[in-house]
Amino acid sequence: MSAPNIETIVSLSKRRGFVFPASDIYGGLGSSWDYGQLGVELANNIKKSWWNWVVYERDDIEGIDSSIIQNRNVWKYSGHEDTFSDPLVDCRDCNARLRLDKLDIDPADGKAMCSNCNSKNLTDPKDFNLMFRTTVGAASADDDPTALAYLRPETAQGIFINFKNVLDTSRRKLPFGIAQIGKAFRNEVTPGNFIFRTREFEQMEIEYFCRPEDAPRVHQEWIDAYGEWLGTLGISSDNIVHYEQTEKELAHYSDRTVDFLYRFFPEREEKEKQFDELLGIANRTDYDLRVHSKKPEDADGKRINPDTTEDLSYFDPQTNERFYPYCIEPSIGVNRTLLAVMMDAYTEKVNDKGEVRVILKLKPELAPIKVAVLPLAKNNEGIVTLAKKLKHDLQPLMRAVYDDTGGIGKLYARQDEIGTPFCVTVDHESLEDNAVTVRDRDTWEQERVSLDSLKEYLQKRLS
Ligand code: GAP
C-alpha cells in the first residue's frame, strides 16, 4: 500500500467521527474543523502523553495555563505587533490573494508566479499582521485603541510574562522549564490542507531556561529528546527530516531554529515538497525576558520598556551573578501531531475474502477506545447481559464500548478502522466456561481468556 495522503485521513475522519468541518450546516467557515467523539479522545491522549513526558516524568519542568487574551503591551513588547506578519500579494489576473514567501520563483527572471494561474502579474507585497483583534470591555468601541486586544498567536508569551511568578513560587534554579498546552489564533492568509494549517489551533510549548553558555547544548538535547518522543507516538523516523532555518526564515526572536518536517504530502512528486513543518525548536536567546523587563535605560540612555513593573532577570546565588537566562523553545501543534499520528498509523490489510480492511495501528496509549465488548448473538439474553456487565466492569479502568449493531465481522472491521487495540467477544461458551475471546487489532489473532484474569490481561497488554 502506498502511504496514505491527507485526503484519505479526511475521509476516514469524517466517516468515523474524528474530525468534522466546522459550521458545516451553515456552509462551513474556511478551513475550520471540529473534533468529533473520537478526535477529541485522540487529541486528549496526545496531550496527556506530552504532559506526562515533560511535566511528570522529568524533574525540571512546571506546567501553567495562561489567558488567551492578555494586556496589549504583551504583544507590543514581544515584537508581534510590528513583525508578526506575512507578505501579501494579489494576482491582478485571477484576483487570488497569496503569501509571497510561499510562491515559486521563475529562475529566468527571479519573479514570483501566482500559484493559482501561473501569472507573474502580481501587486507589490504588503505586510499583513496575523493577529486576530478584539476589544475588551462592555463600553469598548471597535476603533477605541485603549480597548484593543489580541487573541494570542502563540502560547509562549503567557509563559514569559509568568517567568518570575513561577520562579519565585516554585523555588526553581536554572536550568528549568515551563510548559503549556493551549489554543493559539492566527489569521492565516492561506489556511488549508485539513487541520495542517488552520486559523485556530492548539500548541504544546516548552520554554526551557538555561545559562546563555549552555544554550547550544540544551538546544541539541531537546532536538534529540523530541525525536524519541515522536517515536513513542508511533511516528516513524523515516517520515521525519530535520531542517535548519536560514537567516532569512528565522523569526524575529530566534538565533537558531531547527524544524522537524513530517511527510504530510507523500503524493507530491518532488521529495522535498512532501515534507512540511510538524514542530520547531528555537533558541530564543534572552530576547523575550529582556523585552518584558523593566530596564530604565538602554546603552543610548533611552527608556526601553516603560510599561512593565518587573525585571525578569535571574540571580544565581552560587556565582552571585544577575543575568537574563537564554530560552530554548520546543513548540509543536496538537493538530499537526494528530494528523501525523493518524497518517503513520493508517494501514490496509486484505482479509481472507479478498476485501481491503483499514486498520489504524495507533499505539494503545493513544487509541480513543481501548476495548470493545461485542456479543456474538444480540438476541441471547445471557450473552448480552454478560457483555454489558463486562463493559461496565472495565470502564473505570479503560475506555470501553459495547456494540451489538452488526454481525461480528462488521463489528471487528469498525473497531480496526478507529484503532481499538482489543475486541472482547462474548459467545455461547462464555456462559459455560466463564471465558471470552480477545482479538488483537493488528494480527487478528484470537485468544481465550478467563473472565477472572481479563482486566489484568488487558491492562498488561495496553501498557
Ligand atoms: N512559539 C513559537 C511558535 O509559535 P511556530 O513555528 O509559529 O512557533 C509552532 O508554531 C507550531 O505550531 C508549528 O510547528 C505547528 O505545529 C503549529 N502551528 C503553527 N501555525 C499553525 C497553524 N496555522 N495551524 C496549525 N498548526 C500551526
Side-chain angles (χ1 to χ4, degrees), residues 343-362:
M343 290 179 81
D344 242 278
Y346 186 96
T347 43
E348 290 177 353
K349 183 166 167 174
V350 180
N351 68 10
D352 45 18
K353 292 186 197 143
E355 298 157 334
V356 176
R357 294 285 185 224
V358 172
I359 309 181
L360 205 56
K361 292 191 175 179
L362 296 171

Side-chain angles (χ1 to χ4, degrees), residues 11-26:
S11 154
L12 171 65
S13 294
K14 287 193 204 164
R15 192 168 70 244
R16 298 308 317 275
F18 282 93
V19 183
F20 303 123
S23 312
D24 204 20
I25 62 170
Y26 287 105

Side-chain angles (χ1 to χ4, degrees), residues 153-154 156 186 188 195-199 201 203 205 207 253 277-280 284 329 331-333 335-336:
E154 60 170 10
R186 296 180 190 177
E188 297 281 1
I195 54 175
F196 177 79
R197 191 181 308 283
T198 49
R199 296 192 170 105
F201 55 96
Q203 292 184 314
E205 298 200 292
E207 308 304 324
Y253 49 72
E277 182 183 335
L278 170 61
L279 70 107
R284 288 183 83 127
E329 176 195 65
S331 175
I332 184 166
N335 315 45
R336 288 190 193 176

Side-chain angles (χ1 to χ4, degrees), residues 48 364 369-371 390-400 451-460 462-463:
K48 222 182 290 167
I369 293 164
K370 311 298 182 202
V371 58
L390 202 52
K391 187 255 175 186
H392 279 271
D393 288 350
L394 290 172
Q395 68 189 16
L397 303 172
M398 61 195 75
R399 177 92 164 100
L451 283 176
D452 299 336
S453 58
L454 183 67
K455 280 184 197 162
E456 213 176 36
Y457 172 94
L458 289 173
Q459 277 180 311
K460 200 164 155 207
L462 284 166
S463 64

